[in-house]
Amino acid sequence: MNDLFAEKVTYKSPVYNVQAVPIEKIQANSYNPNAVAPPEMKLLYQSIKEDGYTMPIVCYYLFEIDRYEIVDGFHRYTVMKQHRDIYERENGMMPVVVIEKDISNRMASTIRHNRARGSHSIELMSSVVSELVQAGMSDAWILKNIGMDADELLRLKQITGLAALFKDREFSISSEP
């Protein structure tokens, strides 16, 4: 019990370490399947214009190139990139929290953030599933960390059309007529 309590005391959520990062040091990831329609982007711009940034973007720090890769918050980042008034008001700085995870877990984090908020692209989601399978993540890991059911995972695997997604999987043999 003391170990459990000690773990709770020592863990600190990333949001308690918000830092201002120059937007030029931030880059999009290649695996974000979330799409926002133009009316919602206009509303996001209006929200940031009126209320400022009320949530930091979530990034992973890439030490080797001294850049931050977005895990969640691409559209808030896009608003600053596309609107000079926001860029100037914020002095080109984005509020960022950093998470430290490997690529598979960063992809899972992106999907969890997106799914908690709304819709995303089926094609990009299929691509993410493909990358996770190719990285050696089990179906159980994907189901747990992406928050989908087995039928959805199967459909996304089928969409990609890659036989590799099903390699090393056991299937039942149908009975002959």
Side-chain angles (χ1 to χ4, degrees), residues 85-98:
D85 59 333
I86 302 296
Y87 179 90
E88 289 175 359
R89 183 191 70 201
E90 301 292 328
N91 295 314
M93 305 295 272
M94 287 291 308
V96 169
V97 295
V98 176

Side-chain angles (χ1 to χ4, degrees), residues 17-27 57 59 61 66-69 77 80 87 90-98:
N17 295 314
V18 177
Q19 53 190 299
V21 174
I23 197 165
E24 293 77 19
K25 291 185 95 171
I26 300 171
Q27 65 186 39
I57 65 170
C59 292
Y61 181 66
D66 188 31
R67 295 195 43 107
Y68 296 80
E69 185 172 85
Y77 160 83
M80 185 182 287
Y87 179 90
E90 301 292 328
N91 295 314
M93 305 295 272
M94 287 291 308
V96 169
V97 295
V98 176

Side-chain angles (χ1 to χ4, degrees), residues 128-137 139 142 157 164-165 169:
V128 166
V129 166
S130 175
E131 287 187 49
L132 290 172
V133 170
Q134 290 172 5
M137 300 297 118
D139 286 0
I142 294 169
K157 284 181 170 185
L165 294 178
R169 301 288 191 254

Side-chain angles (χ1 to χ4, degrees), residues 21-176:
V21 174
I23 197 165
E24 293 77 19
K25 291 185 95 171
I26 300 171
Q27 65 186 39
N29 66 48
S30 61
Y31 50 83
N32 186 356
N34 191 23
V36 175
E40 283 78 16
M41 280 302 291
K42 283 175 101 173
L43 185 59
L44 180 59
Y45 165 69
Q46 190 64 29
S47 173
I48 291 170
K49 183 177 179 178
E50 297 296 325
D51 303 324
Y53 282 93
T54 58
M55 294 188 303
I57 65 170
V58 180
C59 292
Y60 176 79
Y61 181 66
L62 302 166
F63 290 97
E64 60 278 358
I65 60 173
D66 188 31
R67 295 195 43 107
Y68 296 80
E69 185 172 85
I70 298 171
V71 172
D72 180 64
F74 173 75
H75 297 100
R76 284 170 272 148
Y77 160 83
T78 300
V79 166
M80 185 182 287
K81 295 280 283 186
Q82 293 179 347
H83 296 278
R84 190 84 189 146
D85 59 333
I86 302 296
Y87 179 90
E88 289 175 359
R89 183 191 70 201
E90 301 292 328
N91 295 314
M93 305 295 272
M94 287 291 308
V96 169
V97 295
V98 176
I99 60 171
E100 296 182 28
K101 296 184 175 195
D102 62 32
I103 185 64
S104 295
N105 282 295
R106 290 195 308 266
M107 292 170 88
S109 291
T110 295
I111 303 305
R112 281 192 301 269
H113 280 88
N114 289 343
R115 291 176 67 98
R117 276 194 304 271
S119 64
H120 49 274
S121 162
I122 296 299
E123 293 82 18
L124 287 172
M125 188 70 170
S126 298
S127 177
V128 166
V129 166
S130 175
E131 287 187 49
L132 290 172
V133 170
Q134 290 172 5
M137 300 297 118
S138 69
D139 286 0
W141 187 95
I142 294 169
L143 296 176
K144 177 184 175 209
N145 289 284
I146 304 297
M148 64 177 63
D149 62 35
D151 289 338
E152 183 180 14
L153 178 59
L154 178 61
R155 282 192 306 273
L156 291 172
K157 284 181 170 185
Q158 290 170 333
I159 288 170
T160 63
L162 295 176
L165 294 178
F166 296 96
K167 101 175 188 189
D168 300 327
R169 301 288 191 254
E170 290 187 30
F171 297 95
S172 63
I173 300 173
S174 63
S175 59
E176 294 183 31

